[in-house]
Structures are given as structure tokens and as C-alpha cells.
Amino acid sequence: MNSDSDEPLSNRYSRSMSDNDEDEDELPLAQRRMPKRQQVSPAHSDDSDLPISRLNTSNGKRSRSNHTPNGHQRDTTTGNHRKRQRTSASSASIPNGKMSGVKREPKSQPKTEPVLGHRHTAVNAEPGTHRVPNGNGMSQDAPDRSNGASNGGYRWWDEKNMGGNKLKWSTLVHNGVVFPPEYVPHNKPLIYKESTISLGPAAEEIATFYAEKLGTDYVKRPKFNANFFEDFRASMKGTPAYAIVKKLEHCDFSLIHQHVEEYRRAKKAMSQEEKQAKKKLEEELASKYLYAYVDGRKEKLGSYKIEPPGLFMGRGDHPKQGKVKKRIYPEEVTINIGEDAAIPECPMPGHHWGAIVHKHDVTWVCYWKERVTNQAKYLWFAAGSTFKGMSDHAKFEKARKLHKYIDNIRRDYRNDWKAKSKEVRQRAVAMYLIDKLALRVGNEKGDDEADTVGCCSLRVEHIKFHPPSTIELNFLGKDSIEYRNTVEIERLAFEALKLFCRGKRPGDEVFHRLSVQGLNDYLKSSMDGLSAKVFRTYNASITLDRLLQETPSDMTPDELVVYFNKQNKEVAILCNHQRSLPKTHEAQMQKMDKKKNEIIEWLEELKRGKSALKRLKAGSSVELTKMRPEKPQFTEDMTREQRAEERKRANEAPRISTSVKRNLTQLETEIIKVEARLSKTESTMIMKDDLKTVALGTSKINYIDPRIVVAWCKKHDIQIEKIFPKTLQVKFAWAMETSEDFRFYEGMVS
DNA sequence: GCGAGGACTTAGTAACGAGTGG
DNA sequence: CCACTCGTTACTAAGTCCTCGC
């Protein structure tokens, strides 16, 4: 517990206003700085305080929906204590919102001299000097010892001093990036009130974006349609269509939609050779652009393509969904490259790069501003690159380090639930929720973004209290994914939380005194580099590590993989990683159910036969009735469609009763086999239904220390490819040599 | 000290294509 | 062999966290 005197005056002031007062009129202060507190000394901890899996909660039900769980929008006139209006104001800071022509430097100045892109004029380097040997700077092909690795097989994890540098590279050479091709009009008209309207190329392209989305849920959303139509109509300005096309309801995109469908069909129906040719073309392009040289090493990029134009597909209730994302031209793009490297030729004739910079402290090769959200977009290196690998490794080492501090941190936040200062109490309860429930921290969001929340931005309407100490959380989190969890929490935290909500309106923030910055600043005082997101990584990884320790020893490899996925699922549920219900899920379940019933039917027949046989003398056999599906009757001249039709008919036809003979030994072995098949079918069904809305991949890619997986695979003699697909093996190349003894929370470098 | 925005990670989904079982 | 499933990859939106400039 920190004493008042340790605090800056500003905090004391805010405390005097709020301490122990649960006044409903209490206004959030603009200042939400947290007091510094004494350093927590590291200590080892036991295995207590595991995060509680969502499965064990009284109500493990989770669902997903596209609407606000609470069914209503926050009252912005009364209950809005949130800082908003960030982006709208900022977009105005760029005059006219355009960059073209003017070579504009991105706001943050590079450490090295920036060079505004004047039509590929080489910068800093005198012509012809300090250049990589050949013209394009990509000649010195380092030998690729990589085995498909993204970084030429460079084993950075063998180096003494990996990462940690402010400067990320000394030399950077690449060939630039590729732009989406110009639009080629198809001249299919729009139908408006039953007459055809030919659109100019600009409007036609936008209409085509929309036609591509027909059939999806997006076009059912009023906001999506309204935003689209506004931009669509604006694109018609100056053409005759502008005077005619006034309402989306009267627009019929079916001719364009037809064209889109035809194009899709044709693409699908391409011959093998055509597909090959296309693939080859793509590979040729990739061979020029997909790799860059970092300090002389060949490193793979994540992508070399500027995003093509289209409609902005914002998730959830995004205010800007449906708006048109315009085509990006080189003038809007900033290239980051080494001073000595040749400046890549601008791939679009008649255009030039927006700017060329030499920022050694960042890892992107190109940057532009996306005009709908005003967000910066970058092209980065691939997941298996040295940059990403090092940073991934550092992320997990940081999470492992947290283990040394976690006991103290938990002890402290429990103590702080009783603190005098409300800010301290709010911070302590928020930390508890972040730790226990693996919640995201929840930054403030603007009015021009979907209304989603995390821990710090939780509102009163998101929590229900069920005494003595159970809370029911229901809110939309990242990507507007619903978080729904009813969970028992510690009594003191429950009481504190209830107090935070007392007298507030539904739209008020629960932790109105707490800021993300304040929370993270405080965490840093407990452990160097600690921030809220580390808890998610830590709890996800340590949960899996511990669960895997309990692996039964008598499992077959197949069973082990199933077992792994089951534990992986626990982690995914902890992190609330969801996916949408697969469209065919219901049908698949029905199919499996049918199969299961058929197995049961056959099993009963076998058992009936067995008991019948017992009444007969040894060596005799019995007649059984086996139901077989009808076989499809194909003829030579049948078309593809006819064959499919026939297959379907046979499948749906009543099964044919056949008679088979079995003796006792045959029966007994078959019963065992069929029982095994039945149990496998049943467990697959349960698993499938369990996982229908759970996404396992996200935790595997982002939260689970890959060394845990590698160690487990080695220990149980499971091939790594059963757990990690090829791309993950490349991404986690640094973890592949982990020994089977590896434990997430032991033996880490401090 | 604060807000804006820059840099980077994390996220779900659509498209693709390899594997598989009838 | 062929259709269908399912795992994988590509894509890009949406978070986190920190720095920068006022």
C-alpha cells in the first residue's frame, strides 16, 4: 500500500476528490495518471492462481451475434464519459486529405535524413557510389540454406545478442511494391427502375464491388448500403447517370452480378494448363518482389502488393462499412529503403513514389494511408522472417519473465482492492479481470469506429451482478465478437466492482478513473516491459503447458493429437477466440448422426447374432441382416452433373437389406471393431460440435509459446506437422530445437 | 501532460487447393 | 476417379502500446 506522500500533487488532488466517495455525480478527471509504486521484487511462485477456464464457469455458454448484446446503443447524450472524436479531427489535419503531388513525409521523422521522393532521384548516395553491385541492388543472391525458411536459414537465435536494438537494420535493399492494375470496364449496365443505365468506368467499378458482395450479409445492413450508395452516387457526378440514379432501392445490379458470377465460373473452370500459366506468372512477379535484403540476408516479405480498391468491409456495426476504398497510386506511397540501395523503379508508368525514406528504426518497406479509416497501412516482412521471429521470441520471453513476478503482482492487486484511493482500487480490480479472464485492456475508441470494449472501457451495462460473488459479463470485444461469461470472482473484487457501478448510468464506464496508459505505467513499475497484453500471452501459454503435463501415457498418436486439440481448445476459450458457425455444420452433424445410427443398428444386429449363436453348437454360424446403401448406377455417357445427380439419388434411396453369415470368432472381432468405430464417431461428433464456434488457430499462432508444443511433441513422439502446419513451422523455426524438458515457466533467461 | 498517430500484433473470413473416402 | 471436405493461405480489419509534438 503506498502512502499519500509518495504521490505527485496532481494525484493527491484527484484523490481528495474521490477517496471513499462513491458519489454518483463524480466526474471523471481529465487526468488519470497513476501513482508510481515501489518496485515489486521478483519471486518464484507455485502453481496456484491459474486462470479459470471458461469451461468451468457456471454458464459456459457463448454465442455470437452481429448486434449489441444489450440490444441498444449507448446513450451518447447522457452516459458518454468517453474520450471521442479522435480521428475525425485528425483527418482534417491533412490539408484536402490528399498527398498526391506533394511529397509528404510521414509525420514521424526518421532518425536518418529523410528524402522526399523526387522521381526516383537517388538520395544521400552520390550517383554510382556506395551502391550494391548491380543496378537493382538485388544481385548478390545469398545462398538459400533455408528449407523454405523466410530468412535464408539465418539462425538468429544462435546469436548472443539477438534483438533489443533500436536500430533494426543497417542495409535494406528491395525492389519496391506492386500496385493493383487499372480497372478494365466490362460495360455491363446498371438497371434502374427497369431501364438500363450505362455507367462511366469509375461508377461501374464501384457498382461491381457491390455486385461482388450480393448474397452476403453485408448488403442487408442499412449502414453498409447507405455508405456505399453515397460514394457510388458521388462517383457518377458529371455523368448522365447522376441525374437518374437517386435511390439504392431502385438499383438492380443483376447484370453486373451476372458478369461477376460468370467471371468466377470461368476462373474456376480454367484448364489445368491455364491455372499453371497463371500461377507461373504470379511466381515470376513474386520472385522479383517477394524478397528483400536486410544486412545482406535474403528475407521474405509478408506481401508485396498494395491493397486493391474495394468496399471497406468493417466488422460489426462499423460506421464506415461500405465506403469505397480508392485505388492507391505510387504518389501516396512511402518507400523505406537503405541509403545505399538503388531506389526501386516506380512500376506505374507516368507516376512516381510519394517519398523515399531511410528509417532504420522500423521494419516496414512501404507505407500508405488508407483513406476510409485514415489508418496507416504497411507492408512488412513475413512471419518467418528474422524481424518477426525475434520479436515473437522476445514476446514469449517477456511472458515467461512475468512468472517470476506474478505472485507479487497478484498479492498486490488483492491488497489494493481495499485501498483508500478509488483509482488504485479500480486499477487493482481491472488487473484482476485482465489476469483471471484474459480480457484485453480496452483502449478508447472513436465515434467513427465500431463500439467495442475491453476491460478499461467496460460500461455498467456490460456487467450484471449475481450475489454473493458471481458476475455476468456481456459485451462486444475486438472484431465485435461477443464476450459472454458468467463467472464467480473473489468476494472483495465483486464488492469493489459493484461499488464502481453504483449510481452510474448504463452507458457510464465502470473504471472511469482508470486509463490504459495509467494501467500500463503501473505495470511497468512492477516489471520492466510489462503491459496488459502480456497477461494474455502468459496465461494462455502457462495454461497449455500445465494441461499438457497431464497427458495420459497410454495414448495412441491419433488420440494424442485429439488430446492436444482439446487442451488447445481450453486456451482458445480462455481467450474467447471464435469463428462463425460453418455454413454446413448442421448438415454435417446430421450426416454423422445418420452414420452413427447405422453403426448402432449394425452393432445391435451383431450382438443379436452373438447371443443367438450361444444357443447353437460350437462351430456353427448365423445369418445376419446388413443394410447397405444403394450403389450409384453410372453409364459411360453421363455428364458430370448427371453423375452427381445419380450419386445423390443412390445416397438418398432406401438401403438394401442383404444377408451375411458370421461365426462366433468373426462376430467377436467384428463387435470390437464396430464398437471402436462407434466411439470414434461419437467423439468426433462431440468434438466437432464443441468446436463449431471455437477458433483454435489464433491461440496457436499468437499466444502459445511454440516451445511448449515442440517439447510435448518430442516427449510423446508426435510428428510436429500433426500440430504445426508448414507455415507455423517456418514461423517458429527458432523453437524447433527445443528439448522435451522445456517448461514455459522454468529456466528462462531473466 | 495529453492527444494524435505511428508501428506493430492479433483477429476473423474468404478463397484456394490438397487430401480423402465413396 | 470425382466430389466434397477440410486444412491452409491470403487478405485486411482491428486491436495494443508507445512515441512524438504541441
Side-chain angles (χ1 to χ4, degrees):
Chain A
M1 181 63 224
N2 33 345
S3 69
D4 272 6
S5 55
D6 289 331
E7 290 184 36
L9 274 176
S10 56
N11 282 327
R12 284 205 230 167
Y13 170 69
S14 62
R15 171 179 307 169
S16 68
M17 300 256 309
S18 62
D19 259 3
N20 292 327
D21 93 49
E22 305 297 345
D23 185 351
E24 66 186 76
D25 294 328
E26 184 184 1
L27 287 169
L29 299 180
Q31 246 166 268
R32 293 168 161 186
R33 194 159 42 85
M34 290 297 120
K36 282 257 177 198
R37 49 178 306 138
Q38 65 277 29
Q39 188 77 22
V40 179
S41 57
H44 284 282
S45 89
D46 58 24
D47 288 0
S48 61
D49 288 316
L50 260 182
I52 294 177
S53 161
R54 302 276 297 289
L55 273 193
N56 302 332
T57 59
S58 53
N59 167 8
K61 271 195 113 174
R62 297 147 62 255
S63 63
R64 166 201 189 100
S65 68
N66 287 326
H67 52 266
T68 315
N70 320 65
H72 58 83
Q73 279 280 56
R74 192 173 34 82
D75 180 349
T76 45
T77 53
T78 57
N80 188 0
H81 283 186
R82 302 198 281 151
K83 294 175 236 160
R84 284 196 165 241
Q85 299 151 352
R86 162 157 53 82
T87 353
S88 41
S90 70
S91 62
S93 70
I94 297 177
N96 306 326
K98 63 180 172 192
M99 251 176 135
S100 36
V102 191
K103 274 126 251 148
R104 184 175 289 276
E105 194 51 26
K107 271 275 174 76
S108 85
Q109 288 296 320
K111 295 278 171 299
T112 50
E113 278 300 303
V115 180
L116 298 184
H118 288 271
R119 294 172 208 245
H120 315 197
T121 0
V123 226
N124 278 13
E126 287 153 26
T129 61
H130 310 302
R131 288 289 176 82
V132 221
N134 81 346
N136 68 7
M138 297 289 282
S139 64
Q140 25 25 342
D141 234 76
D144 191 344
R145 299 161 277 132
S146 61
N147 244 338
S150 311
N151 67 350
Y154 170 45
R155 297 170 55 90
W156 51 265
W157 53 93
D158 287 343
E159 309 267 315
K160 277 270 165 6
N161 183 23
M162 34 187 205
N165 276 338
K166 179 101 174 87
L167 297 185
K168 306 288 175 66
W169 52 269
S170 355
T171 66
L172 175 60
V173 181
H174 60 83
N175 281 336
V177 295
V178 173
F179 288 82
E182 286 292 352
Y183 180 65
V184 182
H186 48 59
N187 297 318
K188 297 287 180 288
L190 173 76
I191 303 172
Y192 194 80
K193 291 185 176 172
E194 279 150 43
S195 48
T196 57
I197 314 281
S198 73
L199 303 162
E204 182 193 293
E205 181 178 25
I206 292 169
T208 308
F209 294 153
Y210 189 78
E212 282 168 1
K213 305 297 175 198
L214 289 178
T216 69
D217 281 347
Y218 278 97
V219 297
K220 294 177 191 155
R221 302 192 200 163
K223 192 80 219 178
F224 186 86
N225 286 334
N227 283 335
F228 157 74
F229 192 68
E230 192 183 340
D231 286 357
F232 178 42
R233 221 176 108 67
S235 72
M236 291 181 265
K237 267 191 187 145
T239 75
Y242 187 70
I244 307 166
V245 180
K246 294 200 166 148
K247 288 204 155 143
L248 182 60
E249 302 92 274
H250 300 312
C251 291
D252 176 348
F253 295 90
S254 58
L255 292 179
I256 300 174
H257 181 63
Q258 237 169 55
H259 175 261
V260 167
E261 287 298 307
E262 249 160 57
Y263 178 82
R264 281 181 184 156
R265 261 198 303 278
K267 203 170 144 194
K268 217 166 141 187
M270 271 192 316
S271 72
Q272 214 48 266
E273 298 82 63
E274 285 170 311
K275 280 183 187 164
Q276 290 280 313
K278 198 177 155 221
K279 202 174 161 191
K280 205 177 154 205
L281 218 66
E282 182 67 24
E283 279 168 4
E284 261 164 43
L285 203 65
S287 71
K288 178 168 177 197
Y289 294 100
L290 194 54
Y291 293 87
Y293 287 86
V294 179
D295 298 345
R297 284 183 329 262
K298 188 178 179 184
E299 297 268 358
K300 196 175 179 180
L301 292 166
S303 171
Y304 52 88
K305 291 173 185 159
I306 301 284
E307 286 176 18
L311 301 182
F312 175 71
M313 307 301 279
R315 306 196 182 135
D317 201 9
H318 195 116
K320 294 195 170 177
Q321 59 182 303
K323 285 185 77 65
V324 173
K325 259 175 33 168
K326 290 212 227 62
R327 178 175 272 92
I328 300 293
Y329 288 98
E331 285 76 5
E332 301 165 71
V333 171
T334 299
I335 295 284
N336 190 29
I337 198 161
E339 291 86 341
D340 292 345
I343 294 179
E345 191 188 331
C346 176
M348 224 184 256
H351 290 266
H352 58 89
W353 300 117
I356 304 286
V357 297
H358 316 291
K359 288 167 71 71
H360 290 255
D361 58 338
V362 300
T363 66
W364 49 266
V365 295
C366 125
Y367 155 104
W368 74 94
K369 216 45 173 294
E370 197 270 292
R371 293 294 164 196
V372 174
T373 56
N374 212 29
Q375 291 292 298
K377 296 271 188 173
Y378 303 86
L379 294 183
W380 313 97
F381 283 86
S385 65
T386 302
F387 285 144
K388 297 285 188 190
M390 280 180 171
S391 124
D392 230 22
H393 176 261
K395 171 181 77 182
F396 288 115
E397 284 306 294
K398 189 186 276 183
R400 295 177 77 199
K401 189 172 154 196
L402 174 55
H403 189 70
K404 291 187 184 175
Y405 296 83
I406 196 73
D407 280 356
N408 282 340
I409 290 173
R410 286 173 176 160
R411 190 199 60 215
D412 288 350
Y413 69 55
R414 286 195 169 89
N415 277 331
D416 285 348
W417 294 341
K418 297 169 276 188
K420 273 175 73 185
S421 151
K422 187 186 261 182
E423 321 178 33
V424 173
R425 272 181 285 136
Q426 292 201 344
R427 187 184 63 209
V429 173
M431 277 173 64
Y432 171 61
L433 295 181
I434 285 170
D435 184 21
K436 181 186 173 77
L437 302 177
L439 299 186
R440 291 185 192 85
V441 70
N443 280 294
E444 295 289 334
K445 293 191 75 185
D447 285 329
D448 49 2
E449 297 171 280
D451 176 20
T452 62
V453 300
C455 187
C456 292
S457 46
L458 273 176
R459 299 192 295 265
V460 173
E461 64 196 348
H462 299 131
I463 310 186
K464 280 189 193 141
F465 296 92
H466 302 296
S469 64
T470 297
I471 54 168
E472 187 181 336
L473 291 172
N474 188 1
F475 60 86
L476 296 183
K478 180 174 178 181
D479 291 307
S480 294
I481 296 293
E482 187 175 52
Y483 181 95
R484 193 194 277 270
N485 192 11
T486 301
V487 60
E488 194 177 340
I489 62 173
E490 290 180 37
R491 193 66 182 264
L492 279 171
F494 180 84
E495 295 302 336
L497 209 47
K498 226 165 101 180
L499 221 49
F500 298 155
C501 295
R502 207 175 70 183
K504 285 184 185 166
R505 287 157 296 203
D508 290 345
E509 281 188 351
V510 176
F511 301 106
H512 70 276
R513 294 216 155 257
L514 185 61
S515 74
V516 170
Q517 181 81 62
L519 177 63
N520 279 337
D521 284 352
Y522 171 77
L523 290 174
K524 265 176 202 60
S525 73
S526 297
M527 181 190 118
D528 191 32
L530 188 60
S531 67
K533 79 194 269 282
V534 182
F535 285 85
R536 250 166 101 80
T537 313
Y538 169 74
N539 281 317
S541 280
I542 204 161
T543 298
L544 188 80
D545 187 309
R546 285 174 172 151
L547 289 171
L548 288 183
Q549 292 309 306
E550 292 157 22
T551 310
S553 55
D554 56 350
M555 286 184 143
T556 66
D558 279 352
E559 288 168 336
L560 280 163
V561 171
V562 171
Y563 180 83
F564 180 92
N565 287 336
K566 222 168 143 180
Q567 311 316 321
N568 190 167
K569 184 186 114 186
E570 298 293 313
V571 176
I573 287 170
L574 175 73
C575 296
N576 200 36
H577 290 146
Q578 299 193 28
R579 58 172 182 154
S580 56
L581 187 70
K583 282 190 191 77
T584 54
H585 179 78
E586 208 42 53
Q588 281 178 44
M589 288 306 284
Q590 269 174 25
K591 213 164 146 187
M592 291 189 77
D593 199 56
K594 188 176 156 205
K595 189 174 141 198
K596 180 184 131 188
N597 287 333
E598 286 169 17
I599 296 171
I600 290 172
E601 182 189 281
W602 177 230
L603 188 62
E604 277 166 0
E605 180 68 2
L606 287 168
K607 284 180 176 167
R608 192 190 59 76
K610 189 177 164 188
S611 55
L613 260 189
K614 280 191 181 151
R615 280 176 266 119
L616 301 170
K617 58 178 186 264
S620 58
S621 56
V622 66
E623 292 258 318
L624 301 176
T625 310
K626 186 162 193 174
M627 308 299 289
R628 294 184 192 282
E630 196 179 317
K631 277 199 176 137
Q633 307 287 312
F634 294 135
T635 55
E636 290 279 324
D637 55 344
M638 271 181 164
T639 64
R640 177 185 275 248
E641 287 78 24
Q642 285 169 325
R643 279 165 192 269
E645 190 60 36
E646 169 58 14
R647 198 168 284 134
K648 193 173 163 218
R649 186 202 60 78
N651 189 36
E652 284 166 4
R655 287 173 303 153
I656 305 157
S657 162
T658 54
S659 173
V660 289
K661 258 191 184 168
R662 294 285 191 276
N663 64 30
L664 190 63
T665 16
Q666 286 174 323
L667 276 178
E668 280 170 346
T669 49
E670 189 154 2
I671 284 173
I672 292 169
K673 253 168 63 186
V674 174
E675 273 174 345
R677 204 161 80 207
L678 178 63
S679 96
K680 197 179 171 195
T681 306
E682 281 173 341
S683 71
T684 316
M685 282 177 75
I686 292 167
M687 192 79 179
K688 203 176 190 117
D689 203 51
D690 268 3
L691 291 176
K692 67 185 173 205
T693 56
V694 180
L696 296 187
T698 310
S699 51
K700 217 189 253 185
I701 294 168
N702 299 301
Y703 289 103
I704 292 169
D705 188 329
R707 290 168 294 190
I708 298 169
V709 176
V710 172
W712 182 82
C713 282
K714 284 185 179 162
K715 192 165 170 189
H716 297 278
D717 228 0
I718 297 293
Q719 297 160 308
I720 192 71
E721 53 267 34
K722 296 276 182 203
I723 309 292
F724 282 158
K726 236 183 274 129
T727 43
L728 282 193
Q729 290 175 52
V730 173
K731 172 175 158 101
F732 296 135
W734 56 271
M736 288 304 145
E737 285 148 44
T738 306
S739 96
E740 64 170 72
D741 308 320
F742 176 87
R743 295 300 301 274
F744 179 70
Y745 51 87
E746 276 169 9
M748 57 279 202
V749 241
S750 58

